[in-house]
Amino acid sequence: GQNIDQPTEMTATEGAIVQINCTYQTSGFNGLFWYQQHAGEAPTFLSYNVLDGLEEKGRFSSFLSRSKGYSYLLLKELQMKDSASYLCANMDSNYQLIWGAGTKLIIKP
Amino acid sequence: GAVVSQHPSWVICKSGTSVKIECRSLDFQATTMFWYRQFPKQSLMLMATSNEGSKATYEQGVEKDKFLINHASLTLSTLTVTSAHPEDSSFYICSARDLLKGDYQPQHFGDGTRLSIL
């Protein structure tokens, strides 16, 4: 079967660093995506990993280990506006996105 | 680039009404668009994959006659919720990929349509 696991909710402090983990088991692999979704809004694309390693984009970085079926999204210098749900999605062999349930990130002052 | 426009943003209507939602790719051609539904505090659920010039592919459990999809051009797909009932109230979101740039492209989402059936 196809399965994407990520924590339901995480809390962090403004200015700190947080790591959101995602593990996956899917039929085929064509890349791992991270999206941000604010409450009541549609998801917006954050990052894409297809090779092992770390991809850095400003305050956000994403890591992938294909052998472990594992990815994480690292958010640095947290800001209040980073409070949102973060969705992990795996592109399977049919190039369809298989979505995780999302991790709700709560940022406290 | 890769902008997707979705209309309307919000619909409130009586039970039994049919509602049409439009999804447009503004600056790229999308041979494939995706329709999702999301209930409060739940994950995105893929309803169907909309293919330009052919029939949509529906996910298991999604009624084809209830949710009519038309993808008449490379930039427009429509979802019509026929004879909507309160249980159809949800957040409907479309997405598209610019496949001219290859298969490994992210899906870009419209802003979503919040449908409330009274």
mmCIF file of all heavy atoms in Angstrom, chain A residues 7-25:
data_model
loop_
_atom_site.group_PDB
_atom_site.id
_atom_site.type_symbol
_atom_site.label_atom_id
_atom_site.label_comp_id
_atom_site.label_asym_id
_atom_site.label_seq_id
_atom_site.Cartn_x
_atom_site.Cartn_y
_atom_site.Cartn_z
ATOM 1 N N PRO A 7 4.081 13.977 11.686
ATOM 2 C CA PRO A 7 3.417 14.286 12.956
ATOM 3 C C PRO A 7 2.211 15.176 12.718
ATOM 4 O O PRO A 7 2.169 15.983 11.808
ATOM 5 C CB PRO A 7 4.505 15.008 13.762
ATOM 6 C CG PRO A 7 5.539 15.421 12.770
ATOM 7 C CD PRO A 7 5.467 14.463 11.642
ATOM 8 N N THR A 8 1.226 15.015 13.573
ATOM 9 C CA THR A 8 -0.016 15.777 13.432
ATOM 10 C C THR A 8 0.184 17.246 13.772
ATOM 11 O O THR A 8 -0.326 18.133 13.084
ATOM 12 C CB THR A 8 -1.092 15.194 14.352
ATOM 13 O OG1 THR A 8 -1.248 13.810 14.065
ATOM 14 C CG2 THR A 8 -2.413 15.902 14.162
ATOM 15 N N GLU A 9 0.946 17.488 14.834
ATOM 16 C CA GLU A 9 1.089 18.861 15.291
ATOM 17 C C GLU A 9 2.437 19.057 15.968
ATOM 18 O O GLU A 9 2.956 18.142 16.599
ATOM 19 C CB GLU A 9 -0.044 19.184 16.298
ATOM 20 C CG GLU A 9 -0.120 20.613 16.742
ATOM 21 C CD GLU A 9 -1.346 20.892 17.603
ATOM 22 O OE1 GLU A 9 -2.474 20.736 17.100
ATOM 23 O OE2 GLU A 9 -1.166 21.249 18.780
ATOM 24 N N MET A 10 3.021 20.240 15.791
ATOM 25 C CA MET A 10 4.263 20.584 16.461
ATOM 26 C C MET A 10 4.169 22.033 16.925
ATOM 27 O O MET A 10 3.480 22.859 16.311
ATOM 28 C CB MET A 10 5.464 20.423 15.518
ATOM 29 C CG MET A 10 5.680 19.010 15.017
ATOM 30 S SD MET A 10 7.115 18.840 13.940
ATOM 31 C CE MET A 10 8.454 19.058 15.118
ATOM 32 N N THR A 11 4.893 22.324 18.009
ATOM 33 C CA THR A 11 4.925 23.680 18.535
ATOM 34 C C THR A 11 6.370 24.130 18.625
ATOM 35 O O THR A 11 7.245 23.352 19.018
ATOM 36 C CB THR A 11 4.276 23.739 19.925
ATOM 37 O OG1 THR A 11 2.929 23.253 19.828
ATOM 38 C CG2 THR A 11 4.244 25.170 20.450
ATOM 39 N N ALA A 12 6.628 25.379 18.251
ATOM 40 C CA ALA A 12 7.983 25.920 18.319
ATOM 41 C C ALA A 12 7.908 27.396 18.683
ATOM 42 O O ALA A 12 6.836 28.011 18.641
ATOM 43 C CB ALA A 12 8.690 25.736 16.985
ATOM 44 N N THR A 13 9.068 27.935 19.027
ATOM 45 C CA THR A 13 9.140 29.326 19.480
ATOM 46 C C THR A 13 9.663 30.221 18.363
ATOM 47 O O THR A 13 10.549 29.831 17.598
ATOM 48 C CB THR A 13 10.058 29.429 20.700
ATOM 49 O OG1 THR A 13 9.600 28.527 21.696
ATOM 50 C CG2 THR A 13 10.069 30.845 21.263
ATOM 51 N N GLU A 14 9.143 31.412 18.299
ATOM 52 C CA GLU A 14 9.597 32.404 17.322
ATOM 53 C C GLU A 14 11.113 32.573 17.410
ATOM 54 O O GLU A 14 11.672 32.665 18.513
ATOM 55 C CB GLU A 14 8.901 33.735 17.602
ATOM 56 C CG GLU A 14 9.096 34.797 16.539
ATOM 57 C CD GLU A 14 8.327 36.075 16.842
ATOM 58 O OE1 GLU A 14 7.888 36.244 18.010
ATOM 59 O OE2 GLU A 14 8.161 36.891 15.923
ATOM 60 N N GLY A 15 11.774 32.553 16.244
ATOM 61 C CA GLY A 15 13.225 32.704 16.208
ATOM 62 C C GLY A 15 13.983 31.393 16.282
ATOM 63 O O GLY A 15 15.187 31.352 15.997
ATOM 64 N N ALA A 16 13.308 30.331 16.642
ATOM 65 C CA ALA A 16 13.973 29.028 16.814
ATOM 66 C C ALA A 16 14.015 28.268 15.484
ATOM 67 O O ALA A 16 13.676 28.803 14.420
ATOM 68 C CB ALA A 16 13.231 28.219 17.875
ATOM 69 N N ILE A 17 14.452 26.994 15.587
ATOM 70 C CA ILE A 17 14.516 26.102 14.430
ATOM 71 C C ILE A 17 13.590 24.917 14.701
ATOM 72 O O ILE A 17 13.502 24.429 15.835
ATOM 73 C CB ILE A 17 15.952 25.574 14.220
ATOM 74 C CG1 ILE A 17 16.918 26.720 13.939
ATOM 75 C CG2 ILE A 17 15.994 24.552 13.082
ATOM 76 C CD1 ILE A 17 18.376 26.284 13.889
ATOM 77 N N VAL A 18 12.906 24.441 13.668
ATOM 78 C CA VAL A 18 12.052 23.265 13.827
ATOM 79 C C VAL A 18 12.257 22.332 12.640
ATOM 80 O O VAL A 18 12.485 22.782 11.518
ATOM 81 C CB VAL A 18 10.563 23.665 13.985
ATOM 82 C CG1 VAL A 18 9.996 24.183 12.661
ATOM 83 C CG2 VAL A 18 9.739 22.490 14.466
ATOM 84 N N GLN A 19 12.201 21.041 12.918
ATOM 85 C CA GLN A 19 12.347 20.018 11.871
ATOM 86 C C GLN A 19 11.078 19.184 11.824
ATOM 87 O O GLN A 19 10.674 18.604 12.828
ATOM 88 C CB GLN A 19 13.551 19.123 12.182
ATOM 89 C CG GLN A 19 13.754 17.985 11.186
ATOM 90 C CD GLN A 19 15.021 17.210 11.463
ATOM 91 O OE1 GLN A 19 16.093 17.767 11.649
ATOM 92 N NE2 GLN A 19 14.915 15.893 11.466
ATOM 93 N N ILE A 20 10.468 19.120 10.664
ATOM 94 C CA ILE A 20 9.248 18.336 10.477
ATOM 95 C C ILE A 20 9.606 17.114 9.648
ATOM 96 O O ILE A 20 10.077 17.227 8.521
ATOM 97 C CB ILE A 20 8.163 19.150 9.754
ATOM 98 C CG1 ILE A 20 7.847 20.431 10.532
ATOM 99 C CG2 ILE A 20 6.899 18.312 9.572
ATOM 100 C CD1 ILE A 20 6.906 21.370 9.814
ATOM 101 N N ASN A 21 9.400 15.927 10.222
ATOM 102 C CA ASN A 21 9.780 14.678 9.569
ATOM 103 C C ASN A 21 8.642 14.069 8.769
ATOM 104 O O ASN A 21 7.465 14.271 9.079
ATOM 105 C CB ASN A 21 10.249 13.664 10.627
ATOM 106 C CG ASN A 21 11.489 14.134 11.350
ATOM 107 O OD1 ASN A 21 12.354 14.771 10.768
ATOM 108 N ND2 ASN A 21 11.573 13.829 12.634
ATOM 109 N N CYS A 22 9.029 13.316 7.764
ATOM 110 C CA CYS A 22 8.053 12.633 6.915
ATOM 111 C C CYS A 22 8.652 11.294 6.480
ATOM 112 O O CYS A 22 9.787 11.258 5.998
ATOM 113 C CB CYS A 22 7.733 13.491 5.699
ATOM 114 S SG CYS A 22 6.739 12.685 4.412
ATOM 115 N N THR A 23 7.930 10.217 6.696
ATOM 116 C CA THR A 23 8.360 8.921 6.173
ATOM 117 C C THR A 23 7.321 8.444 5.168
ATOM 118 O O THR A 23 6.136 8.744 5.315
ATOM 119 C CB THR A 23 8.522 7.879 7.287
ATOM 120 O OG1 THR A 23 7.285 7.756 8.004
ATOM 121 C CG2 THR A 23 9.612 8.282 8.253
ATOM 122 N N TYR A 24 7.787 7.704 4.185
ATOM 123 C CA TYR A 24 6.866 7.309 3.124
ATOM 124 C C TYR A 24 7.122 5.883 2.677
ATOM 125 O O TYR A 24 8.242 5.368 2.745
ATOM 126 C CB TYR A 24 6.974 8.264 1.924
ATOM 127 C CG TYR A 24 8.336 8.281 1.268
ATOM 128 C CD1 TYR A 24 8.647 7.397 0.247
ATOM 129 C CD2 TYR A 24 9.312 9.190 1.666
ATOM 130 C CE1 TYR A 24 9.898 7.402 -0.358
ATOM 131 C CE2 TYR A 24 10.561 9.208 1.072
ATOM 132 C CZ TYR A 24 10.851 8.312 0.064
ATOM 133 O OH TYR A 24 12.091 8.324 -0.524
ATOM 134 N N GLN A 25 6.036 5.266 2.244
ATOM 135 C CA GLN A 25 6.103 3.956 1.587
ATOM 136 C C GLN A 25 5.119 4.028 0.437
ATOM 137 O O GLN A 25 3.911 4.058 0.650
ATOM 138 C CB GLN A 25 5.665 2.838 2.552
ATOM 139 C CG GLN A 25 6.613 2.567 3.688
ATOM 140 C CD GLN A 25 6.067 1.494 4.620
ATOM 141 O OE1 GLN A 25 4.916 1.568 5.042
ATOM 142 N NE2 GLN A 25 6.877 0.509 4.937
#
